[in-house]
Amino acid sequence: MNDRKNCVYCGHKIEKKSREHIIQNALGGLYESEEICCEACNNYVSKYIDVPFTKIFNPIISNIENFTKTNNKKSKPLCTGKALYNNKLYNVSIKDGKVVACQELSRELKCDVSKLHFDIVAYDFPIENTAFKNGICKIAFNFALDKGVSLEILKKGLDVKKRDDKIESISFDYPIIPFIPLNPMDKYIETDTSMELYHNLILFNQDNKLWCYVDLFNTFQYYVLLSEKWNQKETILETYLQLLQKIERNIPDLYIRRPKDILIMAQLFDIEPCLDLDKFNHRLKVAIQKESVKKNMSDVLSAKLGADYFKLEKWEKMSKEDARTYLQNDMEFDLKSLLLYFDENDHLKESTFRQVTIVDIDNNITVSYPELIKSLLMRKQLNIQEYTFKKFERLNKFLSTISGFTE
């Protein structure tokens, strides 16, 4: 990490440390740095970049219990959506999973609609392009800075306007490319494994290009091209993953008969084993209470699938004809996609995940993931809308299970 003395925006010496969230605090980001900007610029960025950006995600934030924020932990943002009342659909305002306002129904019934019973059926995600791009790019910019990338390399996509040495505007203009899965393994991860809310960042270089993969709420996924002047002799690979859901902290009932049982539990919870059961129970309780939502990316994604990708249920759902076709045409692609991301112990290879994808299974040729997506989009050979719809549908279904609204 750089020991930066000057603010990256105004260039003035940082006289007073100011904590800047790499991922915005309103989105549950816990990762902070005090070496990015001064207090005045931090406040400017918060007001004009962070607030318009984070407002887009209010429907998600308002439905997560014990949301992982460092301040205003109990506040629930207002959002809009659709709700049913007496089998009629209305546009409503929602807070903390409850309808608090509905102009149309208020006019009809002339009453406090917050007292009525609604069935919330959907939330609105009002994505405004400029605010959205600024927010995504700022996250990638912050992550790169905190991981030691020099401001000089990142300057091209940063636009700071000043008058009389005072900041007039700050914006980001890095090229961004939406992620869409191009191999069977990614399709499986994104649409077939159990939904989990997390933020994920991957900073990596390919030749002279520096990329940052940004995944928010396991739904909003983009590549940000931070620089085309990266030194090809230098390799950088940094990852960050943070869960956003409440961690179950129930203490398991221990049934220990042999010393081996203690060793298994100790390894599972990463604690020191001992034969004193009272002492071991205490260590276990402390470890569970202190479990962090900040996780190793490999551990989280390895737990999602690994060798289970070829589980029996997949075959049981196929007809004999489909199974024969799969064996003849698709199984090799599936297998090589698995081997691209996972080692012999079914552990994720961070050096390839979301950075490259396989294009020639016969010769085992891989190419840059963001570059291939960009090329296919330019040739109109990808349906990004279809994938986006699937991800939103998946997110809405998940929110319904944790908030109680019905679809």
Side-chain angles (χ1 to χ4, degrees):
M1 185 171 66
N2 286 335
D3 183 17
R4 189 173 291 102
K5 303 296 184 184
N6 293 347
C7 172
V8 298
Y9 300 119
C10 67
H12 296 160
K13 185 177 179 180
I14 300 176
E15 301 288 352
K16 182 181 178 182
K17 295 286 186 181
S18 181
R19 292 182 179 178
E20 164 71 324
H21 286 77
I22 305 303
I23 298 174
Q24 289 84 348
N25 179 57
L27 301 186
L30 300 179
Y31 179 5
E32 300 173 323
S33 173
E34 292 185 336
E35 297 182 339
I36 292 179
C37 56
C38 66
E39 187 174 29
C41 288
N42 196 350
N43 290 335
Y44 182 96
V45 168
S46 175
K47 182 176 180 180
Y48 293 105
I49 293 180
D50 292 345
V51 170
F53 176 64
T54 58
K55 184 179 179 181
I56 295 166
F57 305 94
N58 281 354
I60 307 173
I61 298 165
S62 64
N63 280 293
I64 304 176
E65 291 186 25
N66 298 326
F67 195 49
T68 54
K69 294 165 66 177
T70 56
N71 54 53
N72 298 324
K73 295 181 180 181
K74 295 183 179 180
S75 64
K76 294 285 187 177
L78 188 72
C79 55
T80 60
K82 307 287 187 296
L84 285 171
Y85 178 74
N86 282 348
N87 295 319
K88 184 178 177 181
L89 194 65
Y90 292 92
N91 293 314
V92 296
S93 296
I94 306 164
K95 187 169 184 177
D96 198 12
K98 297 178 181 179
V99 172
V100 295
C102 174
Q103 287 187 351
E104 184 180 354
L105 201 55
S106 292
R107 287 194 297 267
E108 287 179 17
L109 302 180
K110 300 187 185 305
C111 70
D112 181 1
V113 297
S114 66
K115 306 295 184 183
L116 303 177
H117 175 72
F118 288 85
D119 287 323
I120 301 171
V121 297
Y123 287 85
D124 298 329
F125 289 92
I127 294 179
E128 196 282 310
N129 288 337
T130 301
F132 189 80
K133 184 177 181 180
N134 260 329
I136 292 289
C137 290
K138 184 205 152 189
I139 291 170
F141 175 78
N142 279 354
F143 190 48
L145 285 173
D146 193 66
K147 293 304 180 182
V149 177
S150 72
L151 179 60
E152 193 61 35
I153 290 174
L154 303 172
K155 266 187 175 180
K156 188 175 180 181
L158 174 63
D159 184 16
V160 179
K161 290 184 170 56
K162 299 180 184 178
R163 176 176 290 182
D164 298 328
D165 206 31
K166 289 185 178 181
I167 297 291
E168 277 200 329
S169 70
I170 298 172
S171 61
F172 297 90
D173 192 26
Y174 297 104
I176 65 172
I177 299 168
F179 170 79
I180 185 168
L182 298 180
N183 64 60
M185 184 56 58
D186 279 319
K187 290 176 184 175
Y188 181 71
I189 291 171
E190 295 303 331
T191 59
D192 296 329
T193 59
S194 59
M195 177 65 174
E196 211 173 357
L197 285 181
Y198 56 70
H199 297 325
N200 186 199
L201 305 177
I202 307 172
L203 181 70
F204 62 97
N205 72 293
Q206 290 175 341
D207 298 326
N208 66 327
K209 294 183 178 179
L210 179 66
W211 295 94
C212 187
Y213 171 76
V214 179
D215 182 352
L216 300 180
F217 299 102
N218 194 3
T219 301
F220 304 87
Q221 302 163 318
Y222 293 85
Y223 289 103
V224 180
L225 179 56
L226 290 169
S227 177
E228 295 183 88
K229 293 184 177 180
W230 185 258
N231 184 349
Q232 298 185 43
K233 295 180 180 179
E234 294 183 20
T235 299
I236 186 168
L237 176 57
E238 300 285 353
T239 67
Y240 177 77
L241 190 144
Q242 179 199 317
L243 301 181
L244 296 165
Q245 298 166 248
K246 176 183 177 182
I247 293 178
E248 293 296 334
R249 301 189 186 275
N250 297 325
I251 309 301
D253 294 326
L254 295 183
Y255 180 61
I256 294 177
R257 296 179 299 162
R258 305 162 298 173
K260 184 179 179 180
D261 297 330
I262 292 178
L263 291 174
I264 291 172
M265 295 299 291
Q267 185 176 19
L268 181 63
F269 290 94
D270 194 24
I271 56 176
E272 187 73 24
C274 69
L275 294 176
D276 184 328
L277 288 185
D278 289 337
K279 186 179 289 186
F280 185 71
N281 271 323
H282 176 70
R283 289 178 183 174
L284 180 63
K285 182 177 181 180
V286 169
I288 291 174
Q289 294 296 334
K290 287 185 176 181
E291 183 181 357
S292 174
V293 293
K294 298 177 184 178
K295 299 292 183 181
N296 181 285
M297 184 180 78
S298 293
D299 292 341
V300 171
L301 291 165
S302 298
K304 274 182 166 288
L305 56 144
D308 288 344
Y309 182 53
F310 293 99
K311 58 190 177 183
L312 290 176
E313 288 90 333
K314 183 173 184 176
W315 297 91
E316 291 170 354
K317 294 177 182 178
M318 289 185 185
S319 66
K320 288 184 179 179
E321 185 178 340
D322 288 342
R324 190 181 300 112
T325 301
Y326 172 71
L327 283 169
Q328 291 175 346
N329 303 319
D330 300 327
M331 188 174 182
E332 187 177 5
F333 194 14
D334 277 16
L335 180 59
K336 290 192 174 179
S337 295
L338 179 69
L339 295 176
L340 177 67
Y341 284 163
F342 292 87
D343 62 22
E344 63 275 8
N345 297 314
D346 299 327
H347 203 69
L348 186 77
K349 300 176 184 175
E350 290 196 349
S351 59
T352 55
F353 181 68
R354 294 290 149 92
Q355 298 162 60
V356 294
T357 188
I358 193 163
V359 290
D360 185 336
I361 59 174
D362 294 327
N363 298 301
N364 226 22
I365 295 175
T366 60
V367 298
S368 165
Y369 219 143
E371 294 285 7
L372 180 58
I373 293 174
K374 178 183 175 182
S375 175
L376 292 173
L377 285 173
M378 288 178 67
R379 298 203 298 266
K380 298 183 179 179
Q381 294 178 334
L382 280 183
N383 188 345
I384 192 68
Q385 287 79 16
E386 181 181 349
Y387 175 65
T388 301
F389 176 79
K390 284 183 180 179
K391 293 298 286 185
F392 269 96
E393 187 178 43
R394 183 171 155 91
L395 176 64
N396 263 319
K397 285 181 178 178
F398 180 79
L399 291 177
S400 73
T401 65
I402 61 175
S403 67
F405 77 83
T406 56
E407 294 193 296

